[in-house]
Amino acid sequence: MFPRITDYAHQLLEQRIQPGAHVIDATMGNGHDTVFLAQQVGETGKVYSFDIQQQALDSTRQLLVKRHLEQRARLFLQSHAMMDFPAESIDAVVFNLGYLPRSDKTITTQAETTIESIKRALRFLKVGGLIVVVVYWGHEQGKIEKQAVEQFVEGLPFPEFMVLRYQYMNPLNQPPFVLAIERRRRPTVD
Ligand code: SAM
């Protein structure tokens, strides 16, 4: 059987993240991706996780402690549109767009801030690094965000960047999909 779409996101990240890696969870939520990333980076790596809701930080911290992984992650109560890291210092970034499940559905990622944070993430990314975005577009804001994200990633210059899409084609109700951006090389200067 085909796996869930989020499993593809994890497979892509798993292949790319080595022990000692520095990675970002741009939408912490309940902490499932942060825990997954903390397992991948090992004892010498670090996960930097962002969310704008205190509830997300509390749930994520709880989950990390339960798995004895809290030393591997730093949690920020801050928009991902404000994240700042040195250029070429990050191995992978994951975005899980939308709202926190079983929570306030009006607090959701937004097209403008998501695009700004993807732009920032592209600067932090090492050559060979990966950004994975899981796009949920079953809600109104999600449809606007989907369009903006698609337009932005389609315009990324090749061969500096390569963009991949995984999507099941026939389920009803706007099935989520995965976009992955690989930074392949620095821009060539003539
Ligand atoms: N990856 C999460 C997990 O494993 O549980 C699920 C993420 S949930 C679909 C999306 C999250 O993005 C919500 O918790 C929401 O608060 C957060 N979010 C919305 N806008 C944000 C922003 N500007 N910066 C950071 N997080 C944001």
Side-chain angles (χ1 to χ4, degrees), residues 25-33 50-53 56 78-81 96-101 107-109 113 136:
D25 181 356
T27 52
M28 190 185 325
N30 286 322
H32 301 291
D33 287 323
F50 293 83
D51 207 291
I52 50 172
Q53 298 192 70
Q78 188 184 317
S79 170
H80 44 220
N96 226 288
L97 303 181
Y99 50 81
L100 194 59
I107 306 177
T108 181
T109 52
T113 39
Y136 295 89

Side-chain angles (χ1 to χ4, degrees), residues 114-134:
T114 298
I115 299 295
E116 169 60 23
S117 55
I118 296 175
K119 281 184 186 166
R120 284 175 178 239
L122 290 171
R123 291 202 296 272
F124 312 149
L125 209 60
K126 292 178 183 172
V127 172
L130 194 70
I131 298 175
V132 174
V133 187
V134 185

